[in-house]
Amino acid sequence: MIEVNNKLRELFAQPNSLHARPLTRRIVLGLAFFSLFMVLLSTDFISDKVSLQVGQVSDRDVLAPRSVSYVDQIKTKRLEAEILASVSSVYDFDVTVATKAEESVTSLFRAAKSVAGDKTLTTEEQRVAKLKSTFAFALPDTAVVGLVSLEEADLVKVEEYTKSILRKYYQRGIREDDMDAARKHVVIEAEERGLGKNAEAVDAGVAQALLKPNVVLTRNETEKRKATALGSIEPVRETVKKGQVVVRRGDVVTDEQIHAMEELGLHRGQVSEVRIFGLAIFVLAVMGLTLGYIYKFSPEVFQNDLSLVLLGLILLLTLLLGKVAHIYSNYAAPIAAGALLTAILLNPRLGLFVSIILSLLFGIIAEHELRAVVVALSGCLIGGYGVSKMNHGYSLTRSGIWIAAMNFMMIAATGFLEQISGAQIIVQGFLGVFSGILSAVITIGVLPYLEHSFNVTTPFKLLELASPSHPLLQRLLLDAPGTYHHSILVGNLAETAADMIGADPVVVRVGAYYHDIGKIKRPYFF
C-alpha cells in the first residue's frame, strides 16, 4: 500500500515523462474523468429491447423506465387532417359564364329563325345541316331537329324559357361537382312546362349544352387558409411517467404504443444519440464550471493535480453510490458523503460548491426528479456547513444527524407541496434519515484511506495528534514533563491568538504541542 501511494505521488510530482507533463497530464485526466462520468451517467440510456409489432398481442406488461414527454406524430397528423377537412374551400363567381351563355342562346335562336325563313331550304335535312354550320357548340340531334321544326312564335317562347332556366341556375351558382344534378333538373323543369315534344327537346338540350360551372375554386386563397389553419395547430404532446404501463399484457399493440416505446428507447433497445449528445454537453459544462470555480476561489487545489484527481474520485464514488441507491429509492442515496469528503479533504468552501455539482449530476441519475435533487442539495449543504465547524467541536456523527434531519424535513415539505400521501412521505422520510446517517458512516470509513493515499492532513488527523493520549505526547509527558506543560500552555495561547486573527486554531494548537518534541531525545539537556 505504501509503495503504491509513493508511486502515485511520484507520478504527479515529477515531470519526467510525456504523461507527467502538466498540460498533457491534465488533458489525459480530463478526458479520462469525462469518459468515466459519461459511462456512469448513461448506463440507463440503454433500455431493454421489446420486440412487439402493430397488431400483435402483448405477452407482458411494458413499463416506462423513465419519464418522457414527446410529440405524438400520429395524433398530430390526425388532428391536421381534421382541421384541413373543416377548412372551407374558397370559390369565386365568374359572371362572364352566364353572359356568354345568354349570348349563345340569342345567336342560336336567331340562326334558327333565319333558317326557318329561308325558302331555299326545302327539306328538314337541309335546314338541320344549315343550322349546324352556324353554331360552334355541340347540341343533341333532337334539339337541332326541334329548332328547325318549330314555328317562329314558338322559337321566341322557347328562347325566353331557355334563358330563364340558365339565369336561374347561374344565379344560384354551379360548381364542377354540381353539373350532373343541374343537367337532370333542367330536363325535369323543361318537361314540367308542357311545351310539347319538340319545344321540350330544344329547351332541355340547349340549356344542358350551355350549362357550365360559374363558381370557380380559388386555389391560392384556399391553400392560404389551409396553411393558416395548420400554422395555428400545436403538436399533440404526450407525457409518459416513470412506472406507467405503456402496453398491458393481452393488449393488441397500436401505432401509438409503438411510438411511445420508441420515444422511451424500448422498442429496439436503442441508444438515443440525441440524449447522449445532450449528456456530453451537460457533463462538459459541469466540469467547466467546476474547474472555473476552483481556479477562481481555490487556486491551491487547481495548481495541484493530485487534489484534482482526489476531487474527481470523490465525485465518481458518490455518484456510483447514488446510482446503486437509485435502484431502491432516490431518497436513500448518500450524496452528502461527497460534500463531506470534499469539505474535509480539500476545503469547506469547495465542499459547498461540490454540493451543487453533485446535485446536478444526481439529477441525471434520478431522471430529473426535482424532489430528489432538492433533498440531495439541502443534505449536502447542511453537511458541508457542519464539517466546516469541526474546529469548534463538531463531529461527523453530529453532521450525519443534521443531514438526516434536513433530509426528513425537505422530503416532508416537498411531499406536502405535491400532495403525496402521508404514509408515502413517512417511508421516504425514513429513507432520507438513513441516507444522512449512511453519508456520515461512509465518510468515516473512507476518510482514512483517502487521507493516507493522497497525503492529506485533515482536521481529524490534527485532532488525533492533539489528543493527550497520543503516544508521542505521552512520551513527552513522561520524559520531559516540564516541556510538555510548557507546550500545552503555548498551545492554548496560540489557539486563542489564531482565533482572534482568523487562522486555523487546530493547526496552530497542534504545532505548538509538537514544537519542542525534539527534546525527548536529550531531555536532561533542558
Side-chain angles (χ1 to χ4, degrees):
M1 183 69 177
I2 296 174
E3 185 180 352
V4 172
N5 292 336
N6 290 335
K7 288 183 178 179
L8 182 65
R9 291 164 192 160
E10 287 175 7
L11 174 65
F12 288 95
Q14 311 227 352
N16 54 6
S17 69
L18 176 66
H19 297 289
R21 293 174 186 170
L23 180 60
T24 305
R25 185 171 61 202
R26 290 200 169 193
I27 292 174
V28 172
L29 287 173
L31 291 175
F33 277 110
F34 171 76
S35 302
L36 290 172
F37 282 125
M38 287 294 296
V39 171
L40 181 63
L41 296 174
S42 65
T43 50
D44 287 340
F45 289 7
I46 305 174
S47 52
D48 296 332
K49 180 178 179 181
V50 179
S51 300
L52 292 175
Q53 302 298 327
V54 176
Q56 181 181 349
V57 178
S58 176
D59 58 352
R60 57 169 165 158
D61 288 339
V62 179
L63 303 180
R66 59 188 176 86
S67 298
V68 67
S69 179
Y70 63 93
V71 175
D72 192 323
Q73 299 292 348
I74 298 173
K75 290 184 178 179
T76 301
K77 289 180 180 178
R78 191 180 300 158
L79 177 62
E80 289 176 353
E82 292 174 359
I83 294 296
L84 289 176
S86 67
V87 175
S88 301
S89 299
V90 180
Y91 291 88
D92 282 340
F93 271 96
D94 189 350
V95 295
T96 62
V97 175
T99 302
K100 289 179 180 178
E102 192 159 333
E103 290 174 354
S104 297
V105 172
T106 300
S107 63
L108 175 64
F109 278 91
R110 185 185 298 122
K113 293 171 186 176
S114 175
V115 169
D118 191 348
K119 301 302 182 182
T120 62
L121 304 172
T122 56
T123 64
E124 183 178 288
E125 288 78 7
Q126 290 175 335
R127 291 195 293 273
V128 168
K130 179 65 176 177
L131 184 60
K132 282 186 176 181
S133 65
T134 59
F135 59 86
F137 55 92
L139 275 178
D141 290 339
T142 55
V144 178
V145 172
L147 282 169
V148 300
S149 302
L150 292 174
E151 299 295 333
E152 185 172 350
D154 292 333
L155 286 174
V156 173
K157 188 186 296 185
V158 172
E159 180 181 357
E160 289 302 319
Y161 284 155
T162 304
K163 287 181 178 179
S164 67
I165 288 177
L166 289 173
R167 289 192 197 106
K168 175 183 176 180
Y169 280 93
Y170 280 131
Q171 287 173 358
R172 292 179 182 175
I174 305 173
R175 297 182 183 181
E176 185 68 42
D177 51 0
D178 296 335
M179 287 297 298
D180 292 338
R183 288 193 177 104
K184 290 178 183 178
H185 283 92
V186 164
V187 174
I188 295 172
E189 289 191 23
E191 291 174 350
E192 290 176 348
R193 293 179 185 275
L195 300 175
K197 184 177 180 181
N198 287 335
E200 290 174 2
V202 173
D203 194 4
V206 174
Q208 283 185 324
L210 294 176
L211 273 179
K212 292 181 180 179
N214 71 329
V215 179
V216 182
L217 176 66
T218 307
R219 296 190 180 278
N220 290 339
E221 185 62 28
T222 301
E223 292 301 324
K224 184 186 291 186
R225 288 192 180 186
K226 290 182 177 179
T228 302
L230 287 177
S232 64
I233 296 176
E234 291 291 335
V236 179
R237 298 195 69 85
E238 294 289 338
T239 300
V240 180
K241 293 188 176 181
K242 180 182 177 182
Q244 180 178 333
V245 179
V246 181
V247 182
R248 294 188 182 277
R249 182 176 183 177
D251 282 354
V252 177
V253 181
T254 63
D255 288 327
E256 289 85 352
Q257 290 171 328
I258 291 293
H259 189 194
M261 287 190 288
E262 288 175 347
E263 291 293 335
L264 289 164
L266 289 171
H267 189 223
R268 302 194 182 280
Q270 72 271 25
V271 179
S272 173
E273 293 82 2
V274 176
R275 293 189 73 197
I276 294 294
F277 179 68
L279 177 63
I281 295 175
F282 183 81
V283 171
L284 285 173
V286 169
M287 290 178 67
L289 286 172
T290 305
L291 289 174
Y293 180 90
I294 295 172
Y295 174 79
K296 182 69 176 178
F297 298 104
S298 299
E300 73 283 356
V301 176
F302 186 82
Q303 294 166 7
N304 188 336
D305 288 356
L306 198 59
S307 296
L308 293 176
V309 171
L310 174 59
L311 178 60
L313 289 177
I314 290 173
L315 293 175
L316 282 172
L317 175 63
T318 306
L319 292 175
L320 181 61
L321 292 172
K323 198 166 189 65
V324 173
H326 169 69
I327 299 172
Y328 304 98
S329 173
N330 289 327
Y331 304 106
I335 302 299
L340 293 174
L341 288 170
T342 304
I344 296 170
L345 292 169
L346 297 172
N347 68 61
R349 176 182 286 185
L350 183 57
L352 294 176
F353 181 78
V354 165
S355 300
I356 301 172
I357 296 303
L358 281 172
S359 301
L360 290 175
L361 295 174
F362 182 64
I364 302 295
I365 297 173
E367 297 173 357
H368 318 293
E369 186 180 345
L370 182 59
R371 287 185 68 216
V373 174
V374 169
V375 171
L377 177 59
S378 57
C380 287
L381 290 175
I382 196 68
Y385 176 78
V387 295
S388 70
K389 298 295 183 179
M390 193 173 298
N391 296 338
H392 300 281
Y394 284 76
S395 66
L396 272 175
T397 303
R398 189 174 299 180
S399 295
I401 295 173
W402 277 109
I403 295 170
M406 178 60 74
N407 286 351
F408 189 90
M409 184 175 67
M410 296 305 296
I411 288 171
T414 55
F416 291 140
L417 284 173
E418 294 191 6
Q419 298 182 334
I420 297 174
S421 66
Q424 192 173 356
I425 290 175
I426 291 174
V427 172
Q428 293 175 349
F430 278 116
L431 288 173
V433 171
F434 170 77
S435 167
I437 297 172
L438 182 62
S439 297
V441 171
I442 291 172
T443 304
I444 293 171
V446 172
L447 192 59
Y449 298 99
L450 294 179
E451 281 179 338
H452 185 71
S453 299
F454 290 87
N455 195 28
V456 178
T457 302
T458 66
F460 283 105
K461 186 178 289 186
L462 291 173
L463 290 173
E464 288 178 7
L465 291 172
S467 174
S469 60
H470 192 280
L472 198 56
L473 289 180
Q474 286 287 314
R475 186 178 168 190
L476 181 64
L477 174 62
L478 294 175
D479 294 348
T483 300
Y484 173 81
H485 290 294
H486 164 71
S487 298
I488 297 298
L489 290 174
V490 172
N492 292 336
L493 290 171
E495 182 179 20
T496 304
D499 241 349
M500 295 294 293
I501 65 174
D504 190 333
V506 177
V507 173
V508 172
R509 176 155 55 93
V510 174
Y513 284 178
Y514 289 88
H515 81 284
D516 272 344
I517 200 69
K519 292 182 179 180
I520 296 176
K521 191 70 174 174
R522 300 283 191 275
Y524 46 84
F525 280 6
F526 307 98

